[in-house]
């Protein structure tokens, strides 16, 4: 008995403890065998024998259950040690996605104009000749159509070459005053360092009754917008030509890379061209039956802004889906 109890106390794991338990209480166990003897014992001795046996049984049970609790606690402690998570340990952070630089730039542009009370308008990517050209004062066979190499689907349908047709659609659908921007994709047959066949523009159009808006308003908002986008830059309005605006200007900012001292990116001019704009040509208003109104319009290339803001040297890389580029925008 003592030997068994000391074996119980020395058991160092649950498995060996259970083996000892079987030796004592199992079918062929010690206590089981002792109880079997009861039937051969004389009646007057039976009671004492049984009492002793029960005491032994309790002693074993106690020893076993004490040891069992102890071993279970030890096992739990060990498991907590083994499975502990060190929250201070460095692990690779699961990779998260990021917005595309063109989206980031587009959002920033849109934010500015929403704050200036512009609405956002949309038009179809597949346009007709009337909205993309004709109503913008670009008659058929007019040489100015060459400014934009067009993807034609058939005689009537084409992929819009600029967001300017949304000017026409908005004026057809609403009465003045109008204060809108139209962000979206446009398409041109062009492919080199600074051109991709699909890119994005943001168009702007403001129309008011009588002569309420002028070139001065255009100048003010574009200067304010360009400083919001590029910081403390100089803004220059250069005479240009668009069939749908008169007068027309292209807008430059002082080169943000060389601070106007001349570099490769600004072709050593100190200026970067960023926008087309002008006062809405009266002919355009005729096409949408607007009378006694004044307005200005502008259009910009979102990829060009993204390239300048983020120093992307090749426009095409924006559309190659190369993770090495995209990961820099997390
Ligand atoms: N639609 C012109 C372009 O794509 C930009 C522009 C828009 C110019 C509005 C003047 C006014 O080049």
């Amino acid at each position: 008995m003592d030997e068994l109890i000391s074996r119980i106390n020395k058991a160092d794991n649950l498995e060996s403890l259970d083996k000892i338990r079987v030796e004592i209480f199992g079918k062929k166990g010690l206590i089981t065998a002792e109880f079997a003897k009861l039937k051969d014992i004389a009646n007057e001795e039976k009671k004492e024998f049984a009492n002793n046996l029960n005491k032994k049984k309790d002693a074993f049970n106690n020893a076993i259950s004490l040891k069992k609790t102890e071993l279970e606690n030890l096992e739990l402690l060990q498991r907590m040690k083994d499975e502990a998570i060190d929250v201070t340990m460095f692990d690779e952070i699961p990779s998260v996605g990021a917005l595309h630089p063109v989206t980031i730039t587009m959002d920033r542009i849109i934010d500015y104009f929403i704050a200036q009370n512009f609405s956002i308008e949309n038009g179809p990517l597949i346009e007709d000749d009337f909205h993309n050209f004709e109503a913008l004062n670009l008659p058929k066979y007019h040489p100015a159509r060459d400014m934009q190499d067009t993807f034609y689907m058939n005689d009537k349908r084409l992929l819009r070459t600029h967001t300017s047709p949304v000017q026409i659609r908005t004026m057809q659908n609403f009465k003045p005053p109008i204060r809108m921007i139209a962000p979206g994709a446009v398409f041109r047959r062009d492919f080199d360092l600074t051109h991709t066949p699909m890119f994005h523009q943001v168009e702007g159009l403001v129309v008011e009754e009588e002569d309420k808006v002028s070139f001065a308003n255009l100048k003010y908002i574009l200067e304010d917008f360009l400083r919001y986008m590029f910081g403390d830059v100089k803004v220059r309005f250069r005479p240009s030509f668009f069939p749908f605006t008169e007068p027309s200007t292209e807008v430059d900012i002082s080169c943000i890379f060389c601070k106007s001292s001349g570099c490769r990116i600004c072709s050593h001019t100190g200026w970067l061209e960023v926008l087309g704009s002008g006062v809405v040509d009266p002919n355009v208003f005729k096409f949408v039956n607007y009378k006694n109104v004044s307005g200005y319009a502008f259009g910009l290339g979102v990829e060009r802004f993204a390239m300048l803001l983020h120093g992307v040297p090749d426009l095409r890389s924006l559309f190659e889906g190369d993770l090495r580029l995209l990961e820099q925008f997390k």
Side-chain angles (χ1 to χ4, degrees):
M1 159 118 194
D2 286 349
E3 193 235 305
L4 278 168
I5 294 280
S6 88
R7 272 179 63 203
I8 289 171
N9 289 337
K10 277 186 209 145
D12 57 5
N13 61 60
L14 287 168
E15 216 177 300
S16 59
L17 180 66
D18 201 57
K19 270 190 192 139
I20 306 171
R21 186 192 60 79
V22 173
E23 271 179 53
I24 299 168
F25 292 110
K27 261 187 194 163
K28 292 176 183 157
L30 187 92
I31 293 290
T32 323
E34 291 284 295
F35 271 109
K37 286 180 190 163
L38 256 179
K39 63 179 193 315
D40 303 324
I41 285 175
N43 272 344
E44 55 274 25
E45 284 167 31
K46 245 188 195 149
K47 197 176 172 194
E48 209 197 321
F49 185 87
N51 268 345
N52 276 337
L53 203 50
N54 276 330
K55 270 183 202 149
K56 261 195 206 172
K57 189 181 124 187
D58 289 346
F60 280 133
N61 268 336
N62 273 338
I64 289 173
S65 89
L66 268 177
K67 192 69 193 177
K68 196 171 169 211
T69 315
E70 185 192 320
L71 289 173
E72 277 171 354
N73 283 341
L74 278 175
E75 195 172 89
L76 184 65
L77 281 176
Q78 189 60 41
R79 256 185 67 193
M80 290 193 338
K81 228 168 148 189
D82 292 348
E83 294 172 14
I85 294 170
D86 179 359
V87 289
T88 67
M89 201 162 79
F90 176 79
D91 195 6
E92 209 171 299
I93 295 156
S95 69
V96 288
L99 291 178
H100 191 279
V102 171
T103 309
I104 296 171
T105 308
M106 183 82 103
D107 286 351
R108 192 154 153 211
I109 296 168
I110 290 173
D111 278 351
Y112 174 85
F113 287 105
I114 284 182
Q116 301 290 338
N117 241 343
F118 282 64
S119 68
I120 297 183
E121 305 297 337
N122 284 301
L125 304 185
I126 299 173
E127 262 297 1
D128 51 49
D129 193 89
F130 178 77
H131 290 92
N132 196 82
F133 291 129
E134 196 96 33
L136 288 162
N137 202 26
L138 264 142
K140 275 204 172 64
Y141 310 114
H142 192 286
R145 284 199 181 193
D146 277 356
M147 285 166 79
Q148 304 176 353
D149 284 318
T150 311
F151 287 113
Y152 284 93
M153 308 187 73
N154 54 42
D155 288 354
K156 293 196 184 78
R157 293 184 191 287
L158 48 87
L159 296 180
R160 70 178 185 191
T161 56
H162 50 182
T163 41
S164 301
V166 188
Q167 288 189 33
I168 304 301
R169 289 185 178 275
T170 307
M171 288 192 281
Q172 285 174 326
N173 290 334
F174 301 98
K175 286 194 189 114
I178 281 175
R179 198 173 171 82
M180 68 97 178
I181 55 166
V186 300
F187 307 85
R188 287 185 202 179
R189 293 184 51 177
D190 243 337
F191 191 64
D192 61 33
L193 218 66
T194 50
H195 297 90
T196 50
M198 189 279 305
F199 61 104
H200 298 82
Q201 288 188 335
V202 175
E203 189 82 10
L205 173 69
V206 171
V207 182
E208 294 272 357
E209 276 159 27
E210 309 294 339
D211 52 2
K212 274 191 196 156
V213 288
S214 69
F215 191 82
N217 303 107
L218 167 72
K219 211 177 157 212
Y220 173 82
I221 198 159
L222 290 184
E223 276 183 17
D224 190 53
F225 164 66
L226 290 171
R227 297 219 172 94
Y228 161 87
M229 290 302 287
F230 294 103
D232 190 18
V233 288
K234 273 181 255 156
V235 179
R236 173 173 91 169
F237 288 76
R238 196 163 29 80
S240 184
F241 172 79
F242 298 103
F244 31 92
T245 47
E246 181 60 35
S248 302
T249 61
E250 273 170 321
V251 185
D252 302 338
I253 56 168
S254 51
C255 182
I256 51 177
F257 298 102
C258 63
K259 303 269 174 269
S260 302
S261 63
C263 67
R264 203 180 48 82
I265 300 170
C266 62
S267 308
H268 300 280
T269 62
W271 295 97
L272 299 163
E273 183 196 323
V274 290
L275 270 167
S277 65
V279 172
V280 180
D281 193 297
N283 276 342
V284 174
F285 287 140
K286 276 187 201 152
F287 277 105
V288 294
N289 289 318
Y290 268 28
K291 291 189 185 84
N292 293 324
V293 291
S294 53
Y296 65 78
F298 55 88
L300 62 89
V302 181
E303 281 76 7
R304 173 136 179 89
F305 273 56
M307 282 174 85
L308 295 176
L309 286 171
H310 299 291
V312 181
D314 184 340
L315 182 73
R316 292 170 294 194
S317 66
L318 290 174
F319 300 111
E320 279 166 357
D322 189 330
L323 289 178
R324 287 169 303 180
L325 179 125
L326 298 175
E327 271 170 352
Q328 297 176 47
F329 293 92
K330 272 182 194 166

